[in-house]
């Protein structure tokens, strides 16, 4: 066994040059090679009590897989990860490891934690590239389960149940499987080929994925039970985009982040000669400070914007996006205008010509400066407008990335399904069971907009509970 | 894949297709819509459902060839398939309990107005239909409307068929004569619906309009289809895909909807021309063989 690597710093993640990548949609981070992966793995102390695993929502046995990487047995490492995670190539890229597994790493006390996410990504990519074997389809246990939505929670729940011998059907409203992984997260952060591969891996396990079926419209939850499904998992995602309710939000050039990203990611508007249009170029203001706002800003840059602002009403300290995404955005030239809040969007209006084609297009936004006041109920300091500090920014596209509200389609067509005052489905902690027998839920449909990995954790919890419920039946 | 089991040209720019989509056919109601993609690279477009056959499992769409995607759709023959067909989406038109209704259709909007008129007739409601077209060449569904309407007014902008004038002419005459409909349901170009709502408003008769804004997912996820309603002096944002497509015609901000509908006009024009050129080339190549 080679010696431990006591370097206090992580092996850096190789990435495209910011000046180059700001103009292309190829993946930003290019990934470790074999040697770097082994070198990074050798930084792991293999702690017996595995503090890192306790920070992982799906409890991957992290030191175990890293030990296999140390030995150069990458396929064995993959097998360790895939015992508990259905989407390793996805999580290795989009999990906020710095607040989860890596935040518990003992190496992080005096230096940087082990690059767990980077190693996970390396192992998953190695498997996808080199492994050609077919997974064993587990013997059927005769039970049928329906999954609503093919996003991270649905795919995880489907994978866990299929491995236990359940006949699983995933119903997806859109034309492609993956949910937010395909419509929301951009290609440069998560290549769609990886999502496709993960969906194929599930199909190889015997999972059926039915696209173009909108549960709540095409079929209801009750009809799924009539069709012989014995349990249903609802992972339908966050749904309706929130707007700010300020004047000018219906002008041409104002998008929700969901619409802007869907046009670019799902509908491929970023390609040359796209069939789905999107506004490109000019000056862009993205309102909000989450990961979705970073994705929208960086997508706008890549689509050819001259200048992209992030307009966020709190300061950098409260900004909820992952540090890594913020750093990437800054390197690429995104202009952060913090402690600012838009109060109005201006549009072009030619009073002499109602038919002027420029009429109704965005020309700018009025913002007001903010300062941080007393902490609110969540402990975050509340932003307060500074009177008389209004100023204008000239932009022609405004992207609103201030969160979403749950989609009403399932709630309105499922009797007895209880939701909270925000519209999120109410579930029992530890099982994901809803107020309806046999109906489980998880992910953003329950919590409101959160992370991919927490949705996966919820899918996993529900799979376990569904298994217990149906094995007793 | 979803098979085109029947295709018929209703006039030079309007085509009817019956698509095999049993899940959609089983649930479809008048006023609802579907989202389709013609091929794997295609754009998602919404089309309102023009009819359905639950036994055969088919859904009828009637569309005007106005852009790249409708041109591409029109190039498909009966027996061929389209990539995606999802629905039924939106809230069905509320028709129960109505005794006397005026259904107003304009242009290809008549295709959507028809199943509503038919359903009302089935429910025992007295239906007056007013259908308007630019000219005689563009007339569609005359016999079908005749069969389900007690009174049918056909209007053309140029007077080449039926009466000369727009759909508001017979509507205003009926109101002047003291006609009290339970409801006016208008489906057609935004400008037509705006005027029908304005003509109806003084009577206080409820006026329902069917909105067809630009959409992507159609399930409430993107907000691209948002429109503004003026309710008691307050401006309210609604999503046509989940809250509609039917709205109170008195409340809809039609001018904003018209402006938003033009957002991608230049792009659309270019894409349409390009698609037509490609289709013409393909046709010429096929003819040369």
């Amino acid at each position: 066994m080679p010696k431990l690597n006591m370097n206090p710093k992580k092996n850096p993640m190789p990435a495209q040059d910011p000046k180059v990548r700001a103009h292309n949609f190829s993946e930003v981070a290019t990934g470790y090679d074999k040697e770097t992966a082994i070198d990074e793995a050798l930084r792991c102390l293999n702690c017996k009590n595995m503090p890192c695993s306790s920070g992982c929502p799906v409890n991957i046995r992290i030191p175990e897989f890293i030990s296999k990487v140390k030995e150069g047995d990458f396929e064995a490492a993959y097998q360790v990860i895939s015992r508990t995670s259905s989407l390793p190539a996805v999580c290795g890229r989009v999990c906020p490891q710095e607040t989860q597994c890596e935040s518990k790493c003992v190496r992080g006390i005096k230096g940087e934690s082990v690059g767990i996410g980077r190693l996970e990504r390396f192992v998953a990519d190695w498997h996808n590239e080199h492994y050609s074997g077919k997974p064993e389809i587990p013997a059927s246990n005769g039970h049928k389960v329906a999954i609503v939505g093919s996003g991270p929670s649905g795919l995880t729940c489907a994978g866990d149940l299929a491995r236990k011998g359940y006949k699983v059907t995933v119903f997806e409203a859109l034309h492609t499987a993956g949910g937010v992984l395909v419509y929301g997260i951009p290609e440069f952060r998560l290549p769609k080929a990886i999502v496709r591969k993960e969906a194929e891996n599930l199909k190889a396990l015997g999972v059926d994925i039915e696209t173009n079926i909108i549960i709540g419209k095409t079929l209801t939850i009750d009809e799924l039970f009539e069709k012989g499904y014995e349990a249903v998992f609802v992972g339908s995602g966050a749904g309706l985009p929130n707007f700010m309710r300020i004047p000018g939000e219906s002008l041409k050039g104002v998008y929700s982040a969901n619409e802007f990203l869907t046009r670019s990611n799902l509908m491929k508007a970023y390609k040359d000669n796209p069939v789905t249009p999107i506004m490109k170029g000019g000056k862009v203001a993205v309102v909000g400070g989450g990961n979705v706002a970073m994705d929208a800003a960086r997508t706008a840059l890549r689509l050819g914007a001259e200048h992209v602002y992030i307009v966020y009403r709190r300061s950098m300290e409260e900004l909820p996006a992952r540090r890594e995404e913020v750093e990437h955005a800054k390197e690429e030239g995104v202009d952060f205008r913090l402690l600012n809040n838009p109060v109005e969007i201006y549009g072009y209006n030619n009073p002499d010509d109602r038919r002027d084609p420029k009429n109704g297009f965005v020309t700018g936004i009025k913002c007001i400066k903010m300062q941080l006041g007393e902490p609110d109920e969540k402990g975050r300091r509340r932003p307060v407008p500074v009177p008389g500090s209004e100023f204008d920014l000239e932009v022609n596209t405004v992207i609103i990335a201030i969160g979403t509200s749950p989609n009403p389609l399932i709630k309105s067509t499922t009797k007895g399904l209880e939701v909270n005052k925000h519209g999120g489905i109410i579930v029992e902690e530890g099982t994901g069971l809803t107020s309806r027998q046999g109906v489980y839920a998880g992910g953003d449909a329950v919590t409101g907009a959160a992370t991919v990995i927490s949705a996966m954790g919820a899918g996993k919890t529900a799979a376990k509970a569904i298994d217990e419920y149906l094995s007793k039946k | 894949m979803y098979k085109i089991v029947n295709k018929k040209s209703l006039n030079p720019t309007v085509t009817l297709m019956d698509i095999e989509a049993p899940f959609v056919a089983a649930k479809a109601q008048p006023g609802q819509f579907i989202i389709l993609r013609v091929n794997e690279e295609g754009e998602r477009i919404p089309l309102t459902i023009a009819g359905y056959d639950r036994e055969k499992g088919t859904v009828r769409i009637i569309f005007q060839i106005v852009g790249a995607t409708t041109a591409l759709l029109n190039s498909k023959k009966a027996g061929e398939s389209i990539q995606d067909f999802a629905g039924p989406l939106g809230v069905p038109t509320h028709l129960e309990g109505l005794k006397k209704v005026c259904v107003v259709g304009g242009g290809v909007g008549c295709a959507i107005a028809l199943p509503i008129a038919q359903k009302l007739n089935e429910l025992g409601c007295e239906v007056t239909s007013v259908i308007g077209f630019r000219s005689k060449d563009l007339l569609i569904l005359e016999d079908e409307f005749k069969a389900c309407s007690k009174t049918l007014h056909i209007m053309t902008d140029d007077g080449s068929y039926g009466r000369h004038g727009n759909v508001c002419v017979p509507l205003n005459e009926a109101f002047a004569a003291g006609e009290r409909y339970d409801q006016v349901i208008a489906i057609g170009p935004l400008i037509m619906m705006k005027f029908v709502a304005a003509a109806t408003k003084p009577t206080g008769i409820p006026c329902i309009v069917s909105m067809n804004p630009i959409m992507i997912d159609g399930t409430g996820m993107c907000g691209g289809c948002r429109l503004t309603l003026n309710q008691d002096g307050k401006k309210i944002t609604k999503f046509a895909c989940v809250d509609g497509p039917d709205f109170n015609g008195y409340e809809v901000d039609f001018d904003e909807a018209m402006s938003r509908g033009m957002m991608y006009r230049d792009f659309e024009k270019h894409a349409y021309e390009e698609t037509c050129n490609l289709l013409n080339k393909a046709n010429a190549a096929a003819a040369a063989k």
Side-chain angles (χ1 to χ4, degrees), chain B residues 199-278:
Chain B
T200 309
K201 199 164 183 183
T203 67
I205 297 170
C207 177
I208 300 299
V209 297
S210 176
M211 303 298 285
N212 190 8
I214 296 171
M215 275 185 198
I216 308 181
D217 65 296
T219 63
M221 191 263 286
C222 82
C225 66
R226 66 190 181 277
L227 47 92
T228 303
L229 300 185
N230 293 302
Q231 275 178 358
D232 309 321
K234 268 193 227 143
K235 285 184 184 291
I236 303 202
T237 299
K238 290 278 178 186
F239 295 156
C241 66
V242 288
D243 301 317
D246 290 356
F247 291 95
N248 179 343
Y250 300 168
E251 295 176 351
V252 173
D253 184 338
F254 286 105
D255 293 342
E256 179 190 287
M258 280 184 255
S259 173
R260 285 184 64 79
M262 310 266 259
M263 182 159 171
Y264 299 108
R265 191 170 50 176
D266 293 345
F267 177 96
E268 285 160 354
K269 192 162 164 269
H270 176 76
Y272 184 27
E273 282 163 7
E274 213 163 67
T275 305
C276 290
N277 287 342
L278 281 175

Side-chain angles (χ1 to χ4, degrees), chain A residues 66-81:
Chain A
I66 294 183
S67 298
K68 297 294 177 192
V69 178
K70 288 178 191 166
E71 293 162 21
D73 190 349
F74 307 129
E75 181 54 30
Y78 180 83
Q79 294 308 328
V80 173
I81 299 174

Side-chain angles (χ1 to χ4, degrees), chain A residues 85-120:
Chain A
S85 171
S86 302
L87 310 167
V90 174
C91 292
R93 289 174 165 79
V94 303
C95 267
Q97 291 100 8
E98 64 280 9
T99 58
Q100 300 180 338
C101 51
E102 293 182 13
S103 74
K104 313 268 179 178
C105 177
V106 171
R107 291 297 305 264
I109 300 168
K110 279 190 185 172
E112 289 183 355
S113 65
V114 175
I116 300 171
R118 295 168 186 184
L119 288 172
E120 181 184 26

